Amino acid sequence: GELFFAFDHFHYARSVPVHVEDMKSLPPSVLQEFMEGGFAVNRSKRRFSSIAIDQGHEQLNKVIKGSGGIIGLTQDPISMLNWSVCGPEVSKRLEQFKFTSNAEEDADQDYDFYHHDERIKNQGDFLDDLKSLTDVIRQHDNPFLQFGSELVSLEGLISQDKNSVSILEEAGRSQYNNFVKEFLVEKTKAFDAPVKKNNFRIFKAEKRRRDAAKKT
């Protein structure tokens, strides 16, 4: 959360502390469920295919979204209520019908349990990428073994403000702690109160000012 403040990502900077504090105050039963992997769901029997719960909801919503999706429903309370109550059930029934009609998944011996990254083609593509990377390192030397006083990105950009690296985490942590104290603990500031910008420019190019004389 500190780096969101440090790099001026204000939407995340405001939301992450609230989420963290929510996680700290979870009931023991919910915390135990999360520790056992209850924060993800599986929509198939394939290995390594768990997805976040909200992503699972989005995939289920897609099943019953028609042309235009749910655009406009928020303007009609009755339609919104119907969607909220009936939507999950309709999606659930459609998913149940889909899986009960899938004979391959019912018969485990015929079902393809492999994750897509386990397939031969994907493994071959990975090895090709790995070979390309090692060839470049052999040709141009390993950038991770280079020593010097400059701060260089993987793209070869040289930082013009490398001194900020040593203070950005501390600055972000200070802003994070102040936000938690003033908004969540003391409640002396509003959630959308202005947050001071740091303008740390690590690898960003300076913005060019338009020449006023060239404006038409």
Side-chain angles (χ1 to χ4, degrees), residues 52-98:
I53 295 176
D54 58 338
Q55 184 180 0
H57 287 163
E58 290 296 332
Q59 292 184 2
L60 293 177
N61 288 341
K62 182 180 178 181
V63 175
I64 55 176
K65 280 183 179 178
S67 177
I70 61 173
I71 296 175
L73 285 182
T74 55
Q75 307 299 323
D76 185 349
I78 297 179
S79 298
M80 189 63 186
L81 179 61
N82 290 337
W83 169 269
S84 301
V85 175
C86 302
E89 285 300 317
V90 173
S91 179
K92 178 180 178 181
R93 302 307 175 193
L94 290 174
E95 286 293 304
Q96 288 177 342
F97 175 77
K98 172 184 174 182

Side-chain angles (χ1 to χ4, degrees), residues 3-215:
L3 293 180
F4 289 131
F5 281 95
F7 287 107
D8 303 327
H9 296 296
F10 299 130
H11 292 298
Y12 288 111
R14 291 187 177 99
S15 300
V16 167
V18 178
H19 177 68
V20 170
E21 294 304 314
D22 285 342
M23 293 296 100
K24 290 180 179 179
S25 58
L26 286 175
S29 58
V30 177
L31 178 60
Q32 182 63 31
E33 183 69 20
F34 280 175
M35 296 295 291
E36 295 175 357
F39 54 87
V41 295
N42 294 83
R43 298 193 61 232
S44 72
K45 295 182 180 180
R46 288 186 172 87
R47 294 194 288 258
F48 307 108
S49 61
S50 298
I51 58 176
I53 295 176
D54 58 338
Q55 184 180 0
H57 287 163
E58 290 296 332
Q59 292 184 2
L60 293 177
N61 288 341
K62 182 180 178 181
V63 175
I64 55 176
K65 280 183 179 178
S67 177
I70 61 173
I71 296 175
L73 285 182
T74 55
Q75 307 299 323
D76 185 349
I78 297 179
S79 298
M80 189 63 186
L81 179 61
N82 290 337
W83 169 269
S84 301
V85 175
C86 302
E89 285 300 317
V90 173
S91 179
K92 178 180 178 181
R93 302 307 175 193
L94 290 174
E95 286 293 304
Q96 288 177 342
F97 175 77
K98 172 184 174 182
F99 286 121
T100 53
S101 62
N102 190 337
E104 288 186 355
E105 188 160 1
D106 290 338
D108 287 350
Q109 65 273 16
D110 298 325
Y111 186 70
D112 181 7
F113 289 95
Y114 286 99
H115 187 271
H116 61 85
D117 282 338
E118 296 181 275
R119 302 185 183 281
I120 299 298
K121 182 181 184 307
N122 296 77
Q123 293 291 318
D125 292 342
F126 174 78
L127 291 176
D128 290 340
D129 293 338
L130 180 61
K131 183 178 182 300
S132 298
L133 176 62
T134 54
D135 289 343
V136 170
I137 290 178
R138 290 192 183 101
Q139 182 179 358
H140 299 285
D141 208 353
N142 189 341
F144 299 102
L145 298 180
Q146 297 294 326
F147 295 94
S149 59
E150 299 294 345
L151 179 63
V152 184
S153 71
L154 292 178
E155 293 82 7
L157 297 177
I158 299 177
S159 174
Q160 302 298 321
D161 190 17
K162 61 182 179 181
N163 293 329
S164 297
V165 177
S166 60
I167 64 173
L168 65 86
E169 189 171 359
E170 180 181 351
R173 185 181 299 109
S174 175
Q175 287 179 294
Y176 181 98
N177 292 334
N178 287 337
F179 180 84
V180 171
K181 177 182 177 182
E182 295 172 351
F183 171 67
L184 297 175
V185 179
E186 298 178 349
K187 298 181 174 60
T188 57
K189 279 192 175 182
F191 179 77
D192 57 352
V195 179
K196 180 183 177 181
K197 293 188 68 174
N198 295 303
N199 290 319
F200 291 131
R201 310 190 70 84
I202 308 302
F203 292 108
K204 295 180 180 179
E206 293 290 339
K207 293 183 178 180
R208 296 180 179 178
R209 294 183 179 180
R210 293 184 178 180
D211 189 351
K214 294 182 180 180
K215 291 184 178 180

